[in-house]
Amino acid sequence: MSSGRDRIRVTHTGSLPRPQPLLDLMVAKERGELPDRAPFEAAVRSAVADAVKRQVDAGIDVGNDGEMGRVDYTVYVAERLEGFGGKSGILRNPDVEEFPEWAELLRRMSSPFGRRPACTGPVGWRDFAAVERDLSILRESAEGAGAEEVFLTAASPGQIARFLENQHYPSHEQYVFALAEVMRREYEAVVEAGFLLQLDCPDLALGRHQQFAERELDDFRGIARQHVEALNEATRNIAPERMRMHICWGSTEGPHHRDVPMEEIADLLLEARPQALAFPASNGRHEHEWRAWRDRDLGGKLLIVGAIDTTTNVIEHPRVVADRLVRFAEVAGRERVQAGTDCGLGTFAGRVQVAGEIAWRKLGALVEGARLASAELW
């Protein structure tokens, strides 16, 4: 993973706006109305090629496939693994209970892909060829666009366990470590293909005010440490510099007043093997948390600073972006900072939170802001 030696490099979290023709095919596939997968596969290939080229043209240094073929960043694994079926229970969100008016707004913008199966049997690979297709499509698109450094996202064991309910294993710990052993094959394949691996780990922050809202903070920290240990076990054969991890408190525009402070989990994140940590740092609940990294030994980690808020349609001024990056550079060192986004710009297929072209303009502001910050820091 290249650190910035003469400028701040630019990346993002993963998901990007999907074109409508692809979304239409996704819906048909979800409803079982697509007997021939060829049109869907062709649409994914075209969307990935376009997304990679747009990222290169926009000045994104480290881009990806935009997660074009996935309905979200977690449920995709249930289509590829054995052991999933039925339906997960309702994922409790105390904010929905406290703010019913906001909850109604949230329902109006929900994704048409609401399926969350549960773990009902031993997990194992059923369709590893789907992973190989992702790698092949991304390689082809990256070579065609001249992308030099590319990443691919994958759900972490803890995130899968958070989102897809365990109805089979005797304990949460056994479920998480079973997932770690199975997902290890996907993680290693991404790196062997020449890509950076991004592990999506919202469970390490979001899990506090949702799945484990009733637990004491120390109890949650114990569970989060268990998730980190599972992630480390799953990536034991991968060099840290070939990995990054994303943590967040949820991609939804909402209250976020229950979010666990970064100060309470930063030490746990530093125990994870991936070299780079990507996290939100520009929204109204977490922008002040650059302070959590002051006087903290990063141990060689890179910080991918979320300098763009992915819950609003406001296009940030590049100077605002630059100020956010400079603040982190002053705390962690300019070579340790990369410019990123708070979360994905298309986290759930079909749920439009940031309009497509505005999302791309926001990425343009990110690139320009990184240039301004670099000129100030070097």
Side-chain angles (χ1 to χ4, degrees), residues 75-284:
V75 173
Y76 80 95
V77 303
E79 299 178 354
R80 302 175 179 191
L81 299 181
E82 296 175 339
F84 289 94
K87 185 177 180 180
S88 288
I90 296 173
L91 197 61
R92 183 172 177 246
N93 184 345
D95 292 346
V96 168
E97 299 165 13
E98 183 177 0
F99 302 105
E101 185 180 17
W102 168 76
E104 179 58 30
L105 292 174
L106 191 64
R107 278 190 286 271
R108 291 176 189 173
M109 57 180 288
S110 62
S111 168
F113 308 96
R115 184 174 62 88
R116 284 176 49 242
C119 176
T120 55
V123 294
W125 280 102
R126 176 170 53 84
D127 184 13
F128 193 76
V131 176
E132 295 170 331
R133 282 195 299 273
D134 284 352
L135 298 175
S136 174
I137 290 171
L138 183 54
R139 182 184 299 107
E140 177 184 297
S141 298
E143 291 174 353
E148 295 183 2
E149 194 165 24
V150 180
F151 72 97
L152 193 67
T153 60
S156 68
Q159 168 57 20
I160 299 170
R162 185 192 79 82
F163 206 65
L164 305 179
E165 184 181 41
N166 173 32
Q167 298 177 2
H168 170 74
Y169 289 92
S171 69
H172 179 78
E173 180 179 12
Q174 287 176 273
Y175 181 34
V176 171
F177 277 89
L179 287 166
E181 184 58 31
V182 170
M183 292 299 293
R184 181 166 60 89
R185 185 180 178 191
E186 178 173 334
Y187 303 156
E188 292 178 359
V190 171
V191 175
E192 289 170 2
F195 304 125
L196 297 176
L197 169 66
Q198 175 175 300
L199 293 148
D200 287 327
C201 308
D203 54 294
L204 300 179
L206 176 63
R208 173 70 184 113
H209 64 274
Q210 288 195 353
Q211 185 179 11
F212 302 109
E214 303 303 323
R215 303 288 190 98
E216 296 295 328
L217 176 61
D218 285 347
D219 289 343
F220 170 72
R221 281 177 52 83
I223 294 166
R225 177 168 277 115
Q226 183 184 96
H227 288 192
V228 169
E229 290 170 355
L231 182 149
N232 286 346
E233 175 62 22
T235 62
R236 63 182 183 268
N237 298 325
I238 303 175
E241 61 269 21
R242 300 300 300 164
M243 296 185 288
R244 44 193 259 184
M245 59 185 286
H246 172 69
I247 71 104
C248 72
W249 294 266
S251 61
T252 302
E253 182 183 15
H256 287 284
H257 64 309
R258 302 174 191 271
D259 291 0
V260 63
M262 176 63 84
E263 187 68 44
E264 301 289 354
I265 58 173
D267 61 323
L268 299 176
L269 304 183
L270 292 172
E271 293 178 11
R273 295 189 68 250
Q275 183 186 38
L277 305 177
F279 51 86
S282 62
N283 64 69

Side-chain angles (χ1 to χ4, degrees), residues 282-338:
S282 62
N283 64 69
R285 193 69 195 183
H286 296 283
E287 187 171 2
H288 68 288
E289 291 188 324
W290 56 271
R291 293 174 174 83
W293 303 100
R294 288 189 304 192
D295 305 320
R296 193 182 291 274
D297 182 5
L298 297 182
K301 299 286 192 194
L302 303 177
L303 302 182
I304 302 176
V305 175
I308 290 289
D309 186 343
T310 52
T311 67
T312 79
N313 285 277
V314 174
I315 300 172
E316 286 83 351
H317 193 287
R319 183 68 255 174
V320 173
V321 172
D323 288 349
R324 290 168 175 163
L325 296 172
V326 168
R327 196 156 51 218
F328 270 89
E330 291 172 345
V331 168
R334 62 187 185 182
E335 295 85 3
R336 292 178 180 268
V337 172
Q338 291 188 10

Side-chain angles (χ1 to χ4, degrees), residues 17-26 29 34 36-51 65 67-70 137 141:
R18 298 164 184 83
Q20 190 59 50
L22 174 58
L23 286 172
D24 293 341
L25 287 167
M26 279 184 164
K29 176 172 165 285
L34 196 68
D36 182 4
R37 285 180 58 95
F40 172 72
E41 299 293 348
V44 170
R45 189 176 298 274
S46 175
V48 171
D50 182 64
D65 63 353
E67 300 179 8
M68 290 294 156
R70 304 176 184 178
I137 290 171
S141 298

Side-chain angles (χ1 to χ4, degrees), residues 352-363:
V352 179
Q353 187 161 262
V354 178
E357 287 307 310
I358 291 178
W360 286 102
R361 290 286 291 274
K362 286 168 82 77
L363 289 175

